[in-house]
Every structure is written in C-alpha cells, then in structure tokens.
Amino acid sequence: MPTEAAKRTGTRRPPDRKARIIDAAHELFRDRGYHNIAVADVAAAVGITAPALYRHFRGKPDLLAHVVDRTLDTMSASVAAADDLDGYLADVTPQTIDRRGAAVIWQREARNLPAEHREQARHALTEIAGQLAALIVARRPELSPADGTLLAWSLLSVYGSISWHRTSLPRRRFEEVMQRMASAVVYCELGTADPAPEAADRERAPGAYAALAVSRREEILTTALRLFDERGFQSVSTDDIGEAAGASGPSIYKHFPTKTDLLVAGILRGGEGRRAGTARALEAPGTPSETLHRLLRSYVDFALEHAHLIGLLLGELDQLPEKERRSARQSQREYLDLWGRLYQEQWPQADAAEARIVVSAVLTVVDNAVRTGRLGGRPDLPERLTELGNALLNAPPAHA
C-alpha cells in the first residue's frame, strides 16, 4: 500500500527500489570498503531515508549478503548459459567490462559476511570455477581435471583483474584486449616450463615467516597477518591475535604497541622482500622479454612465500597511517610502471594503458592462485603460474 506521504504527493515507491539499493551498496562497498560505509550512505545514494532502506534489509550485514549473492548468482548464470567455452568467452568478456568491480566484492568484501554465509559464498564460487573447468576440459580433453581447474580460476582472475584499477580503453579495443587475455589463459600450454632453480630449496626449506618464527614477536606477526588477510583488519582484535598465537595481551603490546603496528611491520617486510627479488631479476642483461620472464619468476616466488601479505596489499592499505599508506601506494605504482615499461619495450605498439591492463592481469592470476586453497598445494604451481604469466605477456597485441 502507498504511504500517506506518497498519497499526498502522488508518488509511489519504485518497484525496483530493492535492486537500486543493492546497486548503490555494491558501488559504495567496492569503492570505499564495507567498514567505511554506513546504511545512511547507501540510503542517501538512492535518495531515500535510512528507515526506508530498513523496509528492505535488516541491516548492513544483510545488505552485504545480498550484494555478494547477486554478484555470484550473475557469475553462475553466465557459466550455466554457455553452450561451450568459446561461446562463454564471447558473451562474458563484454559483460565483465559492464560489471567492472565485481571481483572486489567476492574477493575483499565477502570476508565481512558472517562465518556461515561466508562459507556458502566460498562454496558458490568453487562451484562456478568447477562449471567453468568443465567447459575448458570439454574444449581441451587432453587436460587433467586439476589443470582444467587451474585454468578456470586463472580465467576468473583475468576477468576480475580490471576490478582493481581504473585504467580503461575505447570500448571495442578494451573488449579485444580482454578477449585476447582470456584466450591466452584458457589455451595456455601447460607443462612446458623448466622447474624453477629454487624448487628443491623451496621443498626443503620452510617459508620465510616460518623460518623467522623462533621468537614470540615473529609468531605474533605471522598470526596477525594471516588473520588480517582472512577476516579483514577491522574485524580482527588484539585479543583474537593473542588467542590464535597463544600470547597474552601484555605480550603483544610489548612487541607491537598497537594493532596498526603489526600491519605496518608486515607490509614493510614484504616490500623489502619484493624489492630484493626485483633487483635480482634486473641484474642480468637480456631482452625486454627475458627480463620480464625473470621478473615474473621473482614475483611468483615472492607471492608463494607471502600469500597472506598479498591479501593485505590488495585490501588493507587504507588501514595504514597516511605516511606509510602513501609510501606503499607509491611503491606499488613504481612496481607496476617497471612491468609496464618492459612490456612496451617488448611490444612497442602497445600504449601505457594496454600495458597496465595486461600486467595487472598477470599479477592478479598469480595473486589469486597462491591464495586459493585448491591450487596452493600443487607442487608444480610455480612452473604453471610462470607459463600462464608468459602466455599473457607474450600474446601479441591485436593492433600489433
């Protein structure tokens, strides 16, 4: 029934108001983060009051659940509607550009769901990857189920990579670049890369954090970074860290006066590790293509060693103090610029925007793979990620 106000003004509640609210929440959560948005912000974006929004949703957690569910339902419907792999790529490539930002919702914001709903979302995403893997294996029957699954997650990563930056191209060319990258991944030849020289050492030696975790300070830091990645910085308390690390509050404060100090320490250490790997990759002379290959191998090793840190670099830089936040973002820009310059030297026909889009896809494929449980246990993951990265970097630009 219309409200008294609606009767007096001759207006009625729009039939699509609930969908409009979800649209507004999607954009705000994507751009500013769940914890930085209030229900009143969403209501204002739609042009209604907060009480009016509560007629549709129980609160902000319920609203987030609807945003995540709709995002995953849309992805699932796209796979279900596809007759074959090539049809899926042709249909979903333009849709991905239209839905730009969706990956931020299911990768970053879904962590803020209640545990049960978060597990349901994770299961739904796994189902989507499984359906996509079936399409890939049907097109490429020589692949093992495990390799089909790897390519499916990598394809989702390529599509999702444009969610994390705002670089764009004219529409037709943007679609061409996305289609080229998607094809490069799903048709990538696997099993061609030589084992990494470091592979044997990696099998024998524990990770960097594990090796350092001989002191209480390192145990606390390792635990904190894992929890920040899994649950989000604002959702983790010092008590949570202490309980998980087997440390008391005073023990934590002895080493890290504030929770933010833990985040700063982890990101600074990770930055140092990535710079060291980059320096080694740039030491030897070679062509731009050879240098890019070494840089890719160094990043794969870095990501495998610092999987939880990757999550913090993606989703938690806004939680740093201003000075450290500016420094971390500048370091990220310089790192991407380095890749971009090498890519343009390899492909002079590509402009800076296309280089940024391709490089972002390469790094996102690696980032997501090392943080996806079903993939992280593969002993050959370094070699397979190197092949996927090179497939993206070596695919000639459409206008070359």
Side-chain angles (χ1 to χ4, degrees), residues 301-356:
D301 287 338
F302 167 79
L304 286 165
E305 197 74 31
H306 303 280
H308 289 303
L309 177 63
I310 295 294
L312 303 186
L313 291 172
L314 288 173
E316 302 296 345
L317 291 187
D318 286 343
Q319 306 302 323
L320 291 170
E322 183 178 0
K323 178 182 177 182
E324 286 78 7
R325 182 172 63 251
R326 287 201 310 268
S327 176
R329 293 199 182 282
Q330 179 65 25
S331 177
Q332 289 280 71
R333 284 192 294 270
E334 291 173 354
Y335 190 64
L336 289 172
D337 288 346
L338 170 63
W339 280 76
R341 288 195 302 273
L342 288 168
Y343 182 82
Q344 286 184 273
E345 289 177 15
Q346 175 176 306
W347 300 109
Q349 302 90 338
D351 59 22
E354 182 170 349
R356 174 67 182 271

Side-chain angles (χ1 to χ4, degrees), residues 230-261:
E230 293 174 350
R231 305 182 195 174
F233 178 79
Q234 294 196 32
S235 297
V236 176
S237 68
T238 304
D239 289 341
D240 293 330
I241 297 168
E243 180 179 356
S248 63
S251 175
I252 293 177
Y253 295 131
K254 175 182 176 182
H255 301 289
F256 302 96
T258 69
K259 189 175 71 167
T260 299
D261 291 323

Side-chain angles (χ1 to χ4, degrees), residues 40-116:
D41 297 323
V42 180
V46 183
I48 61 176
T49 64
L53 186 147
Y54 280 110
R55 297 191 187 104
H56 300 279
F57 304 96
R58 294 188 299 273
K60 194 168 75 162
D62 185 39
L63 183 54
L64 175 63
H66 277 80
V67 170
V68 172
D69 288 347
R70 190 188 66 172
T71 300
L72 295 176
D73 287 346
T74 301
M75 295 170 63
S76 179
S78 297
V79 182
D83 293 328
D84 55 31
L85 177 61
D86 292 337
Y88 174 81
L89 298 182
D91 291 342
V92 173
T93 295
Q95 294 173 20
T96 297
I97 298 174
D98 293 334
R99 300 196 303 261
R100 191 172 189 171
V104 174
I105 297 299
W106 55 262
Q107 284 186 312
R108 186 186 71 194
E109 301 306 334
R111 298 178 304 173
N112 298 302
L113 292 168
E116 182 177 354

Side-chain angles (χ1 to χ4, degrees), residues 54-369:
Y54 280 110
R55 297 191 187 104
H56 300 279
F57 304 96
R58 294 188 299 273
K60 194 168 75 162
D62 185 39
L63 183 54
L64 175 63
H66 277 80
V67 170
V68 172
D69 288 347
R70 190 188 66 172
T71 300
L72 295 176
D73 287 346
T74 301
M75 295 170 63
S76 179
S78 297
V79 182
D83 293 328
D84 55 31
L85 177 61
D86 292 337
Y88 174 81
L89 298 182
D91 291 342
V92 173
T93 295
Q95 294 173 20
T96 297
I97 298 174
D98 293 334
R99 300 196 303 261
R100 191 172 189 171
V104 174
I105 297 299
W106 55 262
Q107 284 186 312
R108 186 186 71 194
E109 301 306 334
R111 298 178 304 173
N112 298 302
L113 292 168
E116 182 177 354
H117 202 134
R118 186 168 64 246
E119 186 57 35
Q120 292 173 359
R122 186 178 295 112
H123 177 74
L125 188 59
T126 300
E127 286 289 317
I128 292 167
Q131 293 170 339
L132 189 50
L135 288 178
I136 294 173
V137 172
R139 183 67 177 81
R140 299 183 60 189
E142 79 278 7
L143 292 174
S144 68
D147 284 346
T149 298
L150 172 63
L151 295 184
W153 283 108
S154 299
L155 178 59
L156 290 174
S157 295
V158 166
Y159 283 142
S161 64
I162 62 173
S163 295
W164 300 96
H165 61 80
R166 297 184 180 276
T167 305
S168 190
L169 293 168
R171 179 63 188 230
R172 183 175 178 180
R173 188 165 153 232
F174 203 171
E175 290 185 10
E176 290 175 349
V177 171
M178 294 300 297
Q179 180 79 18
R180 184 183 82 233
M181 294 194 302
S183 296
V185 163
V186 297
Y187 291 108
C188 175
E189 291 296 325
L190 301 176
T192 62
D194 294 329
E198 302 86 355
D201 292 336
R202 186 186 299 112
E203 291 178 2
R204 291 193 301 268
Y209 286 144
L212 290 169
V214 295
S215 69
R216 174 59 70 192
R217 184 182 190 279
E218 295 301 334
E219 285 183 319
I220 293 169
L221 180 59
T222 303
T223 301
L225 297 182
R226 175 177 61 81
L227 293 179
F228 292 160
D229 179 30
E230 293 174 350
R231 305 182 195 174
F233 178 79
Q234 294 196 32
S235 297
V236 176
S237 68
T238 304
D239 289 341
D240 293 330
I241 297 168
E243 180 179 356
S248 63
S251 175
I252 293 177
Y253 295 131
K254 175 182 176 182
H255 301 289
F256 302 96
T258 69
K259 189 175 71 167
T260 299
D261 291 323
L262 284 157
L263 183 62
V264 170
I267 287 180
L268 287 177
R269 175 178 293 170
E272 292 168 358
R274 189 174 67 179
R275 282 191 294 274
T278 300
R280 289 193 295 271
L282 299 178
E283 280 178 356
T287 66
S289 178
E290 292 168 340
T291 305
L292 268 176
H293 175 78
R294 292 195 301 271
L295 193 60
L296 172 62
R297 292 306 297 247
S298 76
Y299 188 75
V300 168
D301 287 338
F302 167 79
L304 286 165
E305 197 74 31
H306 303 280
H308 289 303
L309 177 63
I310 295 294
L312 303 186
L313 291 172
L314 288 173
E316 302 296 345
L317 291 187
D318 286 343
Q319 306 302 323
L320 291 170
E322 183 178 0
K323 178 182 177 182
E324 286 78 7
R325 182 172 63 251
R326 287 201 310 268
S327 176
R329 293 199 182 282
Q330 179 65 25
S331 177
Q332 289 280 71
R333 284 192 294 270
E334 291 173 354
Y335 190 64
L336 289 172
D337 288 346
L338 170 63
W339 280 76
R341 288 195 302 273
L342 288 168
Y343 182 82
Q344 286 184 273
E345 289 177 15
Q346 175 176 306
W347 300 109
Q349 302 90 338
D351 59 22
E354 182 170 349
R356 174 67 182 271
I357 291 169
V358 173
V359 166
S360 294
V362 172
L363 299 182
T364 302
V365 167
V366 176
D367 291 345
N368 290 350

